[in-house]
Amino acid sequence: GWFRLDVGASRMNEDRAGLCSCCQNVRRLRSARGSVFVLCQLHDRDPRYAKYPRLPVLVCAGYAARKQSEPS
């Protein structure tokens, strides 16, 4: 499902996404109203991954840690 992160999310709010908060396979999308949604890019290659995963994601076979210099 669609799960929204609070606008102006602090690090604590980003951590509510679980593994998605620091995964290189995630893209954050901001709506016109300022809501931020977590999109899993693995879904494009493998439909077993939810396009908009239920948060927080605590276990994921596709998780890959984002390098420190990579933006989310």
Side-chain angles (χ1 to χ4, degrees):
W2 286 72
F3 278 81
R4 179 179 171 272
L5 295 177
D6 293 333
V7 176
S10 67
R11 183 69 190 157
M12 185 176 82
N13 286 335
E14 286 184 14
D15 288 343
R16 291 181 186 173
L19 292 174
C20 294
S21 67
C22 57
C23 182
Q24 68 182 3
N25 296 310
V26 161
R27 196 168 97 213
R28 285 182 180 77
L29 304 174
R30 185 173 299 271
S31 74
R33 293 184 178 189
S35 297
V36 177
F37 298 92
V38 174
L39 178 134
C40 179
Q41 294 177 314
L42 290 176
H43 176 78
D44 295 339
R45 297 186 304 269
D46 187 342
R48 292 178 293 173
Y49 293 96
K51 186 171 186 175
Y52 296 97
R54 182 177 298 267
L55 301 178
V57 173
L58 302 177
V59 176
C60 179
Y63 172 76
R66 182 175 58 231
K67 296 180 180 96
Q68 291 294 339
S69 61
E70 289 182 57
S72 56

